[in-house]
Amino acid sequence: MAYPLFKKAIEKDPKYMLPYVELARLYETEGKNPEAEETFKNALNAEPENVAVMSEFGYFLTKLGRIKEAVEILDRAVKKNSYTPAYYYHHAYALAKNGQIKDSLGAFEGALSMNLYDSKLYSLRGEVYENSGMLKEAASDYKKALELILKIKE
């Protein structure tokens, strides 16, 4: 049901990026990664410098294990927009997956300096800590993420 609505929104205004991103997320959720990637690429063809799309596409590529591509895209996104925490933590996550833990943790700190109340930031950094064997720090971040999620839903 949602596919035609997103596609119609894109058709009506090909420069409005939100329907592209949401359609790509929907495809990803349903395991349709080639369709999600194509949607992200279409968005970037329409708006090549859109940092929100770059960030989401980079994060998507990171989750697919295409780290080098992800880091390149996310480097550009962060350089173009230094005010959005999600861009920083998507970048930080990709850097960690690329083995650049010190740079990753610095990027997470940058995101935290902009917004201390983003549960996704803590859950991603918790995963980085966990994968790096820093279990105490991972547990702390996972706990903080859960606290923020539960507080939001109260």
Side-chain angles (χ1 to χ4, degrees), residues 1-148:
M1 180 69 183
Y3 292 112
L5 296 175
F6 286 130
K7 289 177 181 178
K8 187 167 190 99
I10 291 167
E11 185 181 300
K12 287 268 187 199
D13 187 356
K15 297 288 186 181
Y16 182 53
M17 294 294 109
L18 184 62
Y20 289 98
V21 171
E22 293 304 322
L23 178 58
R25 284 180 179 165
L26 180 59
Y27 281 136
E28 180 188 8
T29 300
E30 295 183 351
K32 298 177 179 179
N33 292 333
E35 291 88 344
E37 183 172 352
E38 181 181 344
T39 303
F40 280 124
K41 286 181 176 179
N42 289 340
L44 287 175
N45 284 336
E47 287 284 331
E49 301 301 311
N50 188 292
V51 291
V53 175
M54 282 190 244
S55 179
E56 291 294 331
F57 187 35
Y59 181 55
F60 169 77
L61 292 172
T62 302
K63 292 185 283 183
L64 289 181
R66 293 168 50 190
I67 308 304
K68 186 175 186 227
E69 290 173 79
V71 169
E72 288 174 9
I73 291 168
L74 291 162
D75 279 344
R76 285 191 0 245
V78 168
K79 287 175 184 164
K80 290 186 177 298
N81 181 316
S82 60
Y83 308 108
T84 306
Y87 305 164
Y88 275 84
Y89 63 71
H90 287 163
H91 185 236
Y93 186 71
L95 290 171
K97 294 291 186 181
N98 200 37
Q100 298 170 262
I101 301 302
K102 185 177 178 183
D103 292 337
S104 170
L105 294 176
F108 276 118
E109 287 302 317
L112 278 169
S113 72
M114 292 178 243
N115 183 358
L116 293 171
Y117 304 103
D118 190 326
S119 62
K120 181 121 183 188
L121 191 160
Y122 289 100
S123 66
L124 289 177
R125 189 174 72 170
E127 182 182 332
V128 169
Y129 280 141
E130 181 179 6
N131 292 337
S132 299
M134 302 167 77
L135 301 182
K136 183 178 177 183
E137 292 86 349
S140 176
D141 272 7
Y142 287 144
K143 179 182 176 191
K144 182 69 174 178
L146 285 171
E147 288 171 350
L148 289 168

